[in-house]
Amino acid sequence: MAVKFDDKQKASKGVGIGIRRVIAYVVLILVSFLCLFWFYVLFINATRSEGDLNRGFSFLPGGNLAANWTKMLNFPMISMGTGMLNSVIVSTLTAALCTYFSTMTAYAIHAYEFRLKKPMFTFILAVMMIPTQVTVLGFLQLVRGMGLEDNFIPLIVPAIASPVVFFYMKQYMESVLPLSLVEAARIDGSGEFRTFNSIVLPLMKPAMAVQAIFSFVSSWNNYFTPSLILHDDKMKTLPILIAQLRSADWREKDMGVVYMAISFSIFPVILVYLILSKHIVQGLAMGSVKG
Amino acid sequence: MKMGKRSKAVRFNKWGYIFLIPFLVTFVVFQLIPLISTIVYSFFEYYRAGLKVVGPNFLGLQNYIKLFSDADIWKYTGNTLIIWLMGFVPQIIVSLLIAAWFSDPSLRLKGQRFFKTVIYLPNLIMAAAFAMLFFMLFSKGGPVNSILVNSGIFAEAYTFLDHVWPTRILIAFMNFLMWFGNTTILLMAGMMGIDTSLFEAAQVDGATSTQIFFRVTLPLLKPILLYVMITSLIGGLQMFDVPQILTGDASPNNTSRTLIMFLNNNLYSKNYGMGGAISVYLFVMTGILSLLVFKFTNGKKK
């Protein structure tokens, strides 16, 4: 009753709440459509044959899913299967190293008192915004000097130093890790490294899961650095192959197969997102309140 | 007893340094050394002409003088800023609107989780694949032209990517789609932080929801709006994947070539001196913007 009264009272001033609600839903449905439409077309077109596609656009799927799939895996010059494998290797290792070592860095700053603690913290925050593109020239020279071109190491190992992930971990740690717990572990005779691995890490699991997803996805989607480091066809990751599809003379290709290749490269991320979306969107808000 | 405790603390606190080693070593090797060598290269003549490598010869500021006296750098800076702005303006408007609706308790919108999930989705999609998809959809024989021609809106297929503004609009539109969900969630977090008693007080005083939005919410959101704007600009300066793959770096008269695409060209042609100068230019711009962010976020905490 009280709520209804409130609604009526508002309706008398400004625009009625019912109308505002309708406008809100219309706009939300419109932007949702704008977000999803392209992917709907993508998945539909991935199931259609070249002839179907030439006949014009259709909202209904075609019957060429299996054929496009097989053709995509047997692309001449561009091996999507190898690309998928490479992407999985690079992204998984990046996510693992990034979350583990960022938690460790956060623990160093959170749990210990040492003279350079404050300056170190400020320093890490200060370098947070340096874009990788700015240092990529020197990075490439370094990688060449080390003989690590066409190697995954320069794509994976730098993730150990991820200031943004560090910052998120530190914020989270402040709310879940009381120092008395670390103290208690010490009294029980646990070494510092063991305390970190067996007491701190389990407490940090939720935050690590969120950041593992984000670092996995950003590594999965990364095009700029890998395209400068990986030249051997056997080593290329999916974004590089997608870019190659663009530069190849696509007019001669079966477009359904190209749509299939694009679907193939984004599908894993969409799947993970749909399963874990609740945690991802929540985790994002969690970080942003504090950040 | 006290002495013992302190020395024990010191003994443990050396572990603070030990646990920092992986971060520091990685940072120094893969970021600091590359940054310094990039800056050093910018003062040298060092490029490859065919099979011959010229340099490195020390040039002083010659690379910078050449870079800034040439029209290219200003043109690409302009392209980057124009395309960023074209994506950012609709992004901030739509995000503010949606965030205000979501955090308005009197609206009681249903399906918030669904909408949040949907609008955040494009942010996670591989930009390269998304750009390739738009390239296909907006190509001459693609589905968009097919819809426009069949429905009679266009008499014949339109080559979007052969025209300056349609190309820029497509890039800006993709940036908008990829980032407005992220901005919405950031702004919502900011709005949730506003004391609800302020809204109630305004309501009691007879303010309409529009008045509340412009007179209460917006002024209180100013710090977070500035934060969103500057971080978005920093991101905008790094714009690369979408324009590179959508246009194949063949936009009409290079009107959609961004700064990072320019840097990328210099990396491929192995002109390290000039590439270094472009990198330093980007570094300085990002540095100034980051300092602004730093100032705002620190001021906010106090």
Side-chain angles (χ1 to χ4, degrees):
Chain A
M1 268 311 278
V3 175
K4 260 191 186 157
F5 172 71
D6 193 39
D7 279 5
K8 265 187 203 148
Q9 202 181 32
K10 251 210 212 123
S12 60
K13 307 162 197 158
V15 190
I17 192 107
I19 297 171
R20 288 210 302 130
R21 199 176 283 148
V22 169
I23 295 173
Y25 279 125
V26 168
V27 172
L28 280 171
I29 289 168
L30 196 75
V31 293
S32 303
F33 173 79
L34 276 182
C35 288
L36 296 176
F37 175 68
W38 321 103
F39 302 109
Y40 178 74
V41 177
L42 169 66
F43 292 133
I44 290 292
N45 281 357
T47 66
R48 303 176 75 207
S49 67
E50 178 69 6
D52 277 350
L53 287 168
N54 283 337
R55 234 166 283 138
F57 176 68
S58 151
F59 278 100
L60 297 171
N64 241 33
L65 181 69
N68 284 348
W69 172 264
T70 327
K71 270 195 215 159
M72 177 202 67
L73 289 179
N74 299 316
F75 256 142
M77 310 296 289
I78 296 171
S79 169
M80 294 299 289
T82 315
M84 175 68 83
L85 189 69
N86 292 339
S87 277
V88 168
I89 295 171
V90 171
S91 309
T92 311
L93 291 175
T94 302
L97 286 187
C98 174
T99 42
Y100 181 79
F101 284 105
S102 298
T103 312
M104 183 182 272
T105 312
Y107 184 62
I109 299 281
H110 176 67
Y112 299 96
E113 293 299 330
F114 49 98
R115 199 183 307 159
L116 292 178
K117 179 175 162 145
K118 270 255 166 68
M120 274 310 302
F121 185 53
T122 316
F123 170 75
I124 297 176
L125 290 189
V127 299
M128 187 137 82
M129 294 288 186
I130 301 178
T132 46
Q133 288 93 331
V134 162
T135 57
V136 78
L137 190 142
F139 182 72
L140 272 179
Q141 295 289 331
L142 180 85
V143 167
R144 278 182 200 140
M146 290 169 146
L148 289 175
E149 257 186 305
D150 277 321
N151 194 311
F152 292 153
I153 290 173
L155 299 177
I156 296 168
V157 174
I160 290 174
S162 308
V164 180
V165 183
F166 153 80
F167 189 65
Y168 184 94
M169 292 301 184
K170 184 172 177 295
Q171 299 286 341
Y172 190 85
M173 203 175 269
E174 274 167 13
S175 61
V176 298
L177 183 70
L179 289 179
S180 56
L181 198 66
V182 180
E183 224 28 79
R186 271 180 202 151
I187 289 165
D188 289 345
S190 165
E192 297 301 294
F193 192 60
R194 210 184 116 202
T195 307
F196 173 71
N197 280 321
S198 56
I199 293 174
V200 179
L201 282 190
L203 279 173
M204 292 296 290
K205 253 187 201 158
M208 289 177 79
V210 168
Q211 287 306 316
I213 294 165
F214 280 117
S215 52
F216 181 91
V217 169
S218 63
S219 166
W220 184 269
N221 295 345
N222 191 6
Y223 167 61
F224 186 67
T225 320
S227 73
L228 290 164
I229 288 178
L230 306 173
H231 310 293
D232 183 351
D233 281 338
K234 285 195 194 72
M235 304 297 281
K236 283 174 181 166
T237 52
L238 286 172
I240 308 174
L241 298 180
I242 294 289
Q244 272 185 328
L245 282 177
R246 167 67 175 85
S247 51
D249 191 2
W250 54 275
R251 257 170 274 257
E252 284 176 14
K253 264 196 213 101
D254 193 334
M255 304 264 263
V257 185
V258 179
Y259 283 116
M260 176 59 90
I262 300 173
S263 314
F264 182 70
S265 61
I266 65 174
F267 194 67
V269 168
I270 292 187
L271 198 71
V272 170
Y273 180 61
L274 290 184
I275 296 170
L276 299 173
S277 66
K278 191 182 151 198
H279 305 278
I280 296 176
V281 173
Q282 255 174 14
L284 197 83
M286 193 163 73
S288 59
V289 179
K290 288 155 182 168
Chain B
M1 186 64 190
K2 255 188 179 171
M3 269 302 283
K5 203 172 179 186
R6 199 179 297 153
S7 72
K8 220 161 108 188
V10 170
R11 188 152 51 87
F12 286 126
N13 285 337
K14 74 164 196 264
W15 279 88
Y17 291 107
I18 295 173
F19 281 142
L20 276 177
I21 290 172
F23 182 97
L24 285 177
V25 170
T26 314
F27 178 79
V28 169
V29 172
F30 288 109
Q31 276 190 281
L32 193 61
I33 293 175
L35 177 64
I36 293 168
S37 71
T38 304
I39 296 171
V40 170
Y41 278 124
S42 73
F43 297 109
F44 282 83
E45 178 182 43
Y46 189 21
Y47 62 92
R48 191 180 284 184
L51 289 173
K52 207 179 70 182
V53 175
V54 179
N57 306 313
F58 185 71
L59 275 184
L61 290 172
Q62 283 299 312
N63 282 330
Y64 290 96
I65 293 167
K66 201 175 149 206
L67 179 69
F68 292 123
S69 58
D70 208 47
D72 281 356
I73 188 80
W74 304 117
K75 179 175 172 177
Y76 303 143
T77 306
N79 289 344
T80 311
L81 291 178
I82 288 169
I83 297 171
W84 169 75
L85 198 67
M86 283 164 61
F88 182 74
V89 171
Q91 180 191 319
I92 200 79
I93 293 171
V94 172
S95 299
L96 260 175
L97 211 58
I98 297 177
W101 284 335
F102 275 168
S103 52
D104 184 345
S106 67
L107 268 180
R108 291 192 303 277
L109 291 178
K110 293 202 176 66
Q112 286 207 19
R113 231 183 77 197
F114 168 78
F115 287 123
K116 272 189 226 164
T117 307
V118 168
I119 62 176
Y120 191 68
L121 174 72
N123 192 260
L124 294 172
I125 299 297
M126 183 191 296
F130 198 31
M132 180 65 191
L133 173 62
F134 265 58
F135 168 68
M136 304 268 292
L137 296 181
F138 285 86
S139 66
K140 209 176 167 194
V144 171
N145 264 316
S146 145
I147 292 172
L148 289 173
V149 172
N150 287 345
S151 62
I153 297 173
F154 283 4
E156 57 180 23
Y158 183 71
T159 49
F160 290 91
L161 295 172
D162 287 348
H163 297 84
V164 177
W165 287 100
T167 306
R168 285 176 167 177
I169 289 171
L170 275 181
I171 299 168
F173 176 64
M174 293 182 65
N175 284 331
F176 160 75
L177 274 186
M178 292 179 75
W179 290 101
F180 86 95
N182 189 67
T183 307
T184 305
I185 288 167
L186 268 174
L187 292 178
M188 271 187 70
M191 286 179 186
M192 296 295 186
I194 299 175
D195 190 352
T196 45
S197 64
L198 288 171
F199 295 122
E200 281 157 21
Q203 256 174 32
V204 170
D205 288 347
T208 64
S209 53
T210 319
Q211 280 172 331
I212 293 176
F213 178 76
F214 282 104
R215 301 276 169 83
V216 182
T217 315
L218 220 48
L220 286 169
L221 273 183
K222 213 170 138 195
I224 206 165
L225 280 174
L226 276 168
Y227 172 82
V228 166
M229 191 180 107
I230 299 170
T231 47
S232 165
L233 182 53
I234 293 173
L237 288 177
Q238 298 164 36
M239 201 188 314
F240 173 73
D241 295 16
V242 169
Q244 173 77 21
I245 290 175
L246 186 72
T247 67
D249 200 11
S251 51
N253 200 16
N254 291 330
T255 44
S256 292
R257 181 180 281 171
T258 63
L259 285 169
I260 300 288
M261 287 163 78
F262 186 39
L263 171 64
N264 194 50
N265 288 337
N266 277 285
L267 292 177
Y268 269 98
S269 59
K270 304 205 189 303
N271 190 345
Y272 299 120
M274 196 50 84
I278 302 167
S279 302
V280 172
Y281 170 63
L282 277 160
F283 178 67
V284 170
M285 288 215 292
T286 317
I288 293 169
L289 292 169
S290 303
L291 276 179
L292 289 176
V293 172
F294 219 56
K295 240 183 160 174
F296 285 126
T297 44
N298 277 356
K300 205 170 62 187
K301 267 171 206 153
K302 280 167 202 165

